[in-house]
Amino acid sequence: DLSISLHLNDKEVPDNEYARSIRHCHALTRPRASHAPTTSLCNDCGINHQCVWDGVRLPLAQQRGARFPRLRMLEKGEALRRQGEKVERILSLKSGSAKSTMINEDGVETVSAFHFPGDLIGPLDIYGKHHHSSTTLLERSTLCEYPVAEFQGLIEGVPAIRFAFMRRLLSDAKAAENHHRVVTHAAAESRVAYFLRDLSQRLEALGRRGDDFSLPMCRHDISSFLGLAPETISRSLSHFEEELICEVRSRHVQILDPLRLAKLAATLT
């Protein structure tokens, strides 16, 4: 039920599959309690319950030596990183949205992920010398930026941040596994339903409406992400409208029957 809520780190977030995944990974990687004086990291940020730093509390002595992310505001279409370039910084979204793409050995570019506030972009890049994918902004966005060496130092030197990073890696790995399973085994309409339901849950987890929203990405990007032709996306959406599951006007989506959408999203071939 998309209307049920839970409390996570004193933040009220929806009790849906996406939120429960974050909570489960949080429990698996929670650091041991400390009696040293602490303070919240980025406690003035409105989306920190979805950020990699969710629940991180630094000992005061460590916070005095920690430099926090540099904020940058960039415009739609700007590239945040390019596949093959040297890794020099780690980014997370504070507002806006972005897409990541990969070019395979045949030179074909596909969309590998969509990013929203709280997402860490390319977290595995920290363990390599070069970016494994490219990321482009879908709208005007604000980003938190860390030099990669400083980010590595925080992970290695501050247990709370190391656990928070591990928690996000677990969550991202589960999301990637689910996406691969759906694209590999689900029929076209089930893939589209899965995409809409997942996006709805992610928006709800950010405190936004999950039943009435605008898509920041175009249908070509959605089709690439789901492994479908753009025409198939359009036919599936038209059928959803006929069945009164949702209403779509250009990029504006209104979900009319979330239960039927969820049931269709869970259907695999």
Side-chain angles (χ1 to χ4, degrees):
D1 186 347
L2 299 182
S3 65
I4 299 176
S5 296
L6 56 90
H7 283 81
L8 176 61
N9 293 327
D10 299 324
K11 297 284 187 177
E12 185 175 300
V13 294
D15 185 16
N16 55 41
E17 182 178 346
Y18 181 80
R20 286 194 295 271
S21 172
I22 294 289
R23 182 180 63 178
H24 178 64
C25 293
H26 182 280
L28 286 177
T29 59
R30 188 189 303 274
R32 293 181 179 177
S34 171
H35 298 294
T38 63
T39 184
S40 295
L41 181 64
C42 300
N43 58 3
D44 62 340
C45 180
I47 54 94
N48 66 356
H49 67 283
Q50 285 298 311
C51 182
V52 66
W53 310 125
D54 174 30
V56 170
R57 299 185 66 84
L58 289 180
L60 291 176
Q62 288 180 319
Q63 187 192 21
R64 294 189 186 103
R67 290 185 296 165
F68 293 96
R70 181 166 73 97
L71 292 179
R72 300 179 63 200
M73 181 171 287
L74 299 174
E75 300 299 324
K76 175 181 178 179
E78 291 199 51
L80 303 182
R81 57 178 185 155
R82 291 185 173 86
Q83 185 174 346
E85 286 187 345
K86 182 180 178 181
V87 178
E88 297 180 340
R89 55 186 181 164
I90 300 297
L91 300 167
S92 64
L93 274 176
K94 182 178 175 67
S95 68
S97 57
K99 66 174 181 179
S100 284
T101 59
M102 297 183 67
I103 300 177
N104 63 21
E105 296 178 353
D106 298 323
V108 178
E109 184 179 53
T110 58
V111 176
S112 56
F114 293 110
H115 308 284
F116 293 92
D119 286 355
L120 196 62
I121 298 174
L124 292 178
D125 285 351
I126 193 173
Y127 296 114
K129 294 182 178 180
H130 301 91
H131 293 296
H132 71 283
S133 61
S134 302
T135 303
T136 306
L137 291 178
L138 295 171
E139 57 187 310
R140 190 181 191 189
S141 305
T142 304
L143 299 107
C144 301
E145 177 183 295
Y146 269 115
V148 67
E150 180 179 328
F151 195 89
Q152 289 173 331
L154 286 172
I155 291 176
E156 294 169 2
V158 183
I161 292 180
R162 181 163 62 252
F163 280 111
F165 183 67
M166 291 169 58
R167 184 174 70 237
R168 181 44 55 105
L169 288 183
L170 284 171
S171 177
D172 288 354
K174 182 176 181 179
E177 180 182 0
N178 287 340
H179 174 255
H180 176 75
R181 177 177 57 86
V182 169
V183 170
T184 303
H185 300 291
E189 287 193 354
S190 292
R191 297 187 207 181
V192 178
Y194 170 84
F195 172 78
L196 292 177
R197 180 172 178 266
D198 180 69
L199 180 54
S200 171
Q201 292 184 337
R202 295 179 74 176
L203 293 175
E204 280 198 333
L206 290 168
R208 303 178 186 176
R209 289 192 62 175
D211 61 348
D212 195 322
F213 53 87
S214 294
L215 298 169
M217 67 290 289
C218 64
R219 292 192 184 184
H220 177 79
D221 287 339
I222 298 173
S223 66
S224 176
F225 182 64
L226 296 178
L228 299 169
E231 296 77 14
T232 304
I233 300 289
S234 297
R235 284 195 299 269
S236 297
L237 293 175
S238 296
H239 186 240
F240 292 170
E241 287 193 90
E242 293 173 0
E243 295 295 318
L244 300 180
I245 296 175
C246 67
E247 184 176 292
V248 182
R249 295 292 179 268
S250 186
R251 292 194 182 188
H252 182 259
V253 177
Q254 184 178 11
I255 297 177
L256 306 175
D257 193 334
L259 293 179
R260 290 178 64 194
L261 183 69
K263 183 177 180 180
L264 185 57
T267 304
L268 300 180
T269 56

